[in-house]
Amino acid sequence: MTSREELFAALEGVFDPELRRPITELGMVGKLEMDSGKAVAEIKLTVVGCPAANRIEADVLAALRTVVGVTAAEVFLTVMTPAERAELTAKLTAGRPPKTNPFGKDSLTRVLLVGSGKGGVGKTSVTVNLAVELANRGFSVGLLDADVFGFSVPGQLGLTDKPIRIDNLIVPPVAFGVKVISIGMFVDGNQAVAWRGPMLHRTVEQFLTDVYWGDLDFLLVDLPPGTGDVAISLGQLLPTGEHIVVTTPQLAAAQVAERSAAVGLQTGQSVLGVIENMAWLPQADGGRFELFGAGGGSQVAQAIAKLANAEIGLLGQIPLDVELRLGSDSGRPVVATHPLSAAALEIGRIATQVIQAGPKLTGKKLPLNVF
Ligand SMILES: Nc1ncnc2c1ncn2[C@@H]1O[C@H](COP(=O)(O)OP(=O)(O)O)[C@@H](O)[C@H]1O
Ligand SMILES: [Mg+2]
């Protein structure tokens, strides 16, 4: 006789794709019975019309069929009651009161804010690839697209899924192992976002407080170019934030880039380093064609070092790479599709430096994985 325990144990390997936890822990398994060789499972979805329903159903059926004695399997989908949902959200927030920012001063998550002086220098491409690279290495990674007016993170990750809402929690869709939230997921089509400061502040604050990020090792933030309202809000909301400044080698662009880190410094955040993107175009003979000149990255690093009164390094120089460009156009980041391309290898080296620069665990309590 196959017991309920055996069936339940098999379901421990089935994960909710968005919450990234076993459905057994999430309270999603209801009735679970055997009827002459046939396993029948009730799966309680978090919300009606849960986009992951088909996938969960297929995974449950597959898991049940692995149990010895099961010759057939059937799933019936129901929806959690409000009380069950409340229990789930309480578990997910681990008792944290609603509407509080999990990335305050005591947070153990490393917050990396990627900024630039101007647009088009590859800030989003760097952020997305760095996030996917860190996730590939086993870290738990979130990505907040704070480039409210020029959002392009969902496109670069091929994400068309909308976040789902479980009561007051917004559950971010996951792409290439990264939890992602973007204003682009809340506006229809290519609609423009035309908001003033207070609305922007509330939105980025909500992205921090109402989104279920879980225990993150890294939260990456794609900042808007320059030094606007959003940068100031995030300076206040993310006190442990470490800035990464992306620039091209062009000296004219360097001065503007310096300023992007200045806001962070003024609000007490730190600067981790500078990335020079589009550094050169590799030539067939192994040479480097410096399309945008040279020296921008180190100039920015030196200037910020003066501002910060600290040593600021050049974390890396990413060459121009057609695979990177194709990857961002097609929503398939180059580090995932062409890990051996010149750009992906350099992003890998940058990721290693980022990891080695932290985490700042000394003297801090280790996170207790409540859930
Ligand atoms: N190293 C690179 N090699 C080739 N194309 C790149 C590189 N970095 C960025 N791009 C391309 O340049 C364009 C602008 O990059 P994007 O990441 O959107 O910049 P930003 O976020 O700074 O505006 C995109 O089409 C992107 O694919
Ligand atoms: Mg961008």
Side-chain angles (χ1 to χ4, degrees):
M1 248 319 260
T2 310
S3 66
R4 184 185 193 276
E5 283 68 37
E6 284 171 84
L7 296 175
F8 193 84
L11 297 184
E12 280 167 358
V14 177
F15 278 62
D16 179 286
E18 263 109 21
L19 297 169
R20 301 175 78 69
R21 297 283 178 184
I23 57 168
T24 46
E25 284 181 18
L26 295 168
M28 293 172 70
V29 181
K31 290 198 191 79
L32 196 52
E33 285 157 2
M34 278 291 280
D35 183 10
S36 38
K38 184 178 180 184
V40 183
E42 175 195 9
I43 299 300
K44 296 187 270 189
L45 299 173
T46 49
V47 285
V48 182
C50 169
N54 288 344
R55 186 157 148 208
I56 297 171
E57 183 175 357
D59 289 352
V60 168
L61 287 172
L64 292 175
R65 289 190 190 114
T66 63
V67 179
V68 181
V70 173
T71 51
E74 190 184 314
V75 165
F76 62 102
L77 299 173
T78 59
V79 175
M80 288 184 174
T81 63
E84 287 166 340
R85 216 166 17 242
E87 200 178 313
L88 170 65
T89 55
K91 237 188 227 178
L92 291 175
T93 51
R96 186 168 56 83
K99 308 266 172 207
T100 53
N101 173 7
F103 305 106
K105 276 202 169 50
D106 299 325
S107 165
L108 292 174
T109 300
R110 284 189 62 202
V111 176
L112 307 176
L113 302 121
V114 186
S116 68
K118 53 176 196 152
V121 299
K123 178 172 49 65
T124 303
S125 309
V126 168
T127 315
V128 161
N129 278 288
L130 194 55
V132 172
E133 177 71 19
L134 289 168
N136 274 344
R137 296 196 192 183
F139 292 100
S140 164
V141 182
L143 171 44
L144 192 167
D145 182 0
D147 193 351
V148 180
F149 302 121
F151 59 85
S152 65
V153 168
Q156 290 209 18
L157 281 166
L159 258 180
T160 49
D161 296 347
K162 300 261 181 226
I164 57 166
R165 209 172 238 290
I166 307 178
D167 294 347
N168 289 328
L169 271 193
I170 300 169
V171 181
V174 175
F176 297 91
V178 178
K179 292 179 178 163
V180 185
I181 209 81
S182 168
I183 196 72
M185 297 167 180
F186 298 88
V187 297
D188 286 330
N190 201 19
Q191 217 179 304
V193 178
W195 292 343
R196 292 184 190 277
M199 182 75 172
L200 291 173
H201 182 84
R202 269 201 303 280
T203 304
V204 292
E205 189 170 31
Q206 246 198 323
F207 282 173
L208 297 173
T209 58
D210 296 1
V211 168
Y212 168 64
W213 292 109
D215 276 335
L216 292 184
D217 296 311
F218 290 98
L219 174 70
L220 279 82
V221 183
D222 186 8
L223 290 175
T227 54
D229 291 330
V230 172
I232 298 170
S233 292
L234 288 170
Q236 294 160 352
L237 293 164
L238 300 169
T240 64
E242 306 166 57
H243 283 256
I244 295 175
V245 179
V246 179
T247 187
T248 64
Q250 230 172 331
L251 294 175
Q255 269 185 330
V256 203
E258 290 159 34
R259 275 182 246 143
S260 82
V263 173
L265 287 171
Q266 281 163 17
T267 54
Q269 293 171 326
S270 60
V271 178
L272 182 60
V274 176
I275 294 173
E276 190 179 81
N277 187 31
M278 311 188 183
W280 56 77
L281 186 64
Q283 302 295 288
D285 64 2
R288 297 169 169 185
F289 178 51
E290 292 174 332
L291 199 64
F292 294 113
S298 47
Q299 181 172 318
V300 174
Q302 279 167 25
I304 298 174
K306 246 186 233 151
L307 275 182
N309 200 12
E311 224 169 283
I312 305 294
L314 190 58
L315 295 171
Q317 293 175 291
I318 305 171
L320 280 156
D321 187 333
V322 71
E323 297 297 353
L324 184 149
R325 203 268 304 156
L326 288 169
S328 48
D329 283 351
S330 64
R332 309 192 48 181
V334 68
V335 293
T337 57
H338 294 82
L340 297 181
S341 66
L345 288 173
E346 184 65 2
I347 291 162
R349 282 188 283 270
I350 293 170
T352 301
Q353 290 187 64
V354 167
I355 296 163
Q356 285 170 350
K360 296 163 182 161
L361 286 174
T362 35
K364 284 198 182 175
K365 221 169 55 182
L366 283 169
L368 186 69
N369 214 335
V370 189
F371 189 64

Short mmCIF file of all heavy atoms in Angstrom, two decimals, residues 32 36 66 77 92 121 129 169 193 221 260 271 279 325 347:
data_model
loop_
_atom_site.label_atom_id
_atom_site.label_comp_id
_atom_site.label_asym_id
_atom_site.label_seq_id
_atom_site.Cartn_x
_atom_site.Cartn_y
_atom_site.Cartn_z
N LEU A 32 -4.78 14.15 -0.67
CA LEU A 32 -3.78 13.34 -1.34
C LEU A 32 -4.14 11.89 -1.06
O LEU A 32 -4.03 11.42 0.06
CB LEU A 32 -2.40 13.70 -0.75
CG LEU A 32 -1.15 13.29 -1.47
CD1 LEU A 32 -1.16 13.73 -2.91
CD2 LEU A 32 0.07 13.87 -0.76
N SER A 36 -6.95 2.44 -5.80
CA SER A 36 -6.50 1.29 -6.60
C SER A 36 -5.44 1.67 -7.65
O SER A 36 -5.68 1.64 -8.85
CB SER A 36 -7.68 0.55 -7.24
OG SER A 36 -8.68 1.43 -7.68
N THR A 66 6.38 8.81 -10.06
CA THR A 66 7.65 8.17 -9.67
C THR A 66 7.47 7.29 -8.43
O THR A 66 8.36 6.53 -8.08
CB THR A 66 8.73 9.24 -9.33
OG1 THR A 66 8.28 9.98 -8.19
CG2 THR A 66 9.00 10.16 -10.50
N LEU A 77 -7.17 20.99 -9.42
CA LEU A 77 -6.70 22.29 -8.96
C LEU A 77 -7.81 23.04 -8.25
O LEU A 77 -8.93 23.13 -8.76
CB LEU A 77 -6.22 23.13 -10.15
CG LEU A 77 -5.04 22.55 -10.96
CD1 LEU A 77 -4.79 23.39 -12.20
CD2 LEU A 77 -3.78 22.47 -10.11
N LEU A 92 5.79 33.69 4.11
CA LEU A 92 6.71 34.26 3.12
C LEU A 92 7.43 35.49 3.66
O LEU A 92 8.60 35.72 3.37
CB LEU A 92 5.97 34.64 1.84
CG LEU A 92 5.44 33.47 1.00
CD1 LEU A 92 4.63 33.99 -0.18
CD2 LEU A 92 6.58 32.59 0.50
N VAL A 121 24.90 53.47 -22.72
CA VAL A 121 26.27 53.01 -22.49
C VAL A 121 26.33 51.52 -22.13
O VAL A 121 27.39 50.95 -21.96
CB VAL A 121 26.98 53.82 -21.38
CG1 VAL A 121 27.07 55.29 -21.76
CG2 VAL A 121 26.28 53.66 -20.04
N ASN A 129 23.17 40.97 -17.24
CA ASN A 129 24.13 39.88 -17.36
C ASN A 129 24.82 39.57 -16.04
O ASN A 129 25.06 38.41 -15.72
CB ASN A 129 25.16 40.20 -18.45
CG ASN A 129 24.64 39.87 -19.83
OD1 ASN A 129 24.50 38.70 -20.19
ND2 ASN A 129 24.28 40.89 -20.59
N LEU A 169 1.06 40.95 -1.22
CA LEU A 169 2.40 40.66 -1.71
C LEU A 169 2.41 40.60 -3.23
O LEU A 169 1.52 40.01 -3.85
CB LEU A 169 2.87 39.30 -1.20
CG LEU A 169 3.59 39.20 0.12
CD1 LEU A 169 4.21 37.81 0.23
CD2 LEU A 169 4.67 40.25 0.29
N VAL A 193 5.66 56.32 -19.21
CA VAL A 193 5.42 56.63 -17.81
C VAL A 193 5.75 58.11 -17.61
O VAL A 193 6.87 58.53 -17.86
CB VAL A 193 6.32 55.77 -16.90
CG1 VAL A 193 6.11 56.13 -15.44
CG2 VAL A 193 6.04 54.29 -17.13
N VAL A 221 20.10 46.77 -8.93
CA VAL A 221 19.16 47.83 -9.29
C VAL A 221 19.67 48.52 -10.56
O VAL A 221 20.80 49.01 -10.59
CB VAL A 221 19.03 48.86 -8.15
CG1 VAL A 221 18.01 49.93 -8.52
CG2 VAL A 221 18.64 48.18 -6.84
N SER A 260 26.90 60.49 -11.43
CA SER A 260 25.88 59.51 -11.08
C SER A 260 26.18 58.86 -9.73
O SER A 260 25.28 58.46 -9.01
CB SER A 260 25.72 58.47 -12.18
OG SER A 260 26.70 57.48 -12.06
N VAL A 271 30.64 53.30 -3.16
CA VAL A 271 30.89 52.99 -4.57
C VAL A 271 31.80 51.77 -4.63
O VAL A 271 32.86 51.74 -4.00
CB VAL A 271 31.54 54.18 -5.30
CG1 VAL A 271 31.82 53.82 -6.75
CG2 VAL A 271 30.65 55.41 -5.22
N ALA A 279 34.48 48.77 -24.57
CA ALA A 279 35.87 49.20 -24.42
C ALA A 279 36.63 49.19 -25.75
O ALA A 279 37.41 50.09 -26.02
CB ALA A 279 36.57 48.32 -23.39
N ARG A 325 24.98 42.05 -27.88
CA ARG A 325 23.91 42.87 -28.46
C ARG A 325 22.75 41.98 -28.91
O ARG A 325 21.57 42.28 -28.62
CB ARG A 325 24.48 43.68 -29.63
CG ARG A 325 23.71 44.93 -29.96
CD ARG A 325 22.63 44.70 -31.01
NE ARG A 325 23.18 44.13 -32.23
CZ ARG A 325 22.49 43.43 -33.10
NH1 ARG A 325 21.22 43.18 -32.89
NH2 ARG A 325 23.07 42.91 -34.17
N ILE A 347 32.40 39.63 -18.04
CA ILE A 347 31.34 39.81 -17.04
C ILE A 347 31.54 38.78 -15.91
O ILE A 347 31.34 39.08 -14.73
CB ILE A 347 29.95 39.70 -17.69
CG1 ILE A 347 29.72 40.92 -18.60
CG2 ILE A 347 28.84 39.62 -16.62
CD1 ILE A 347 28.61 40.77 -19.62
#
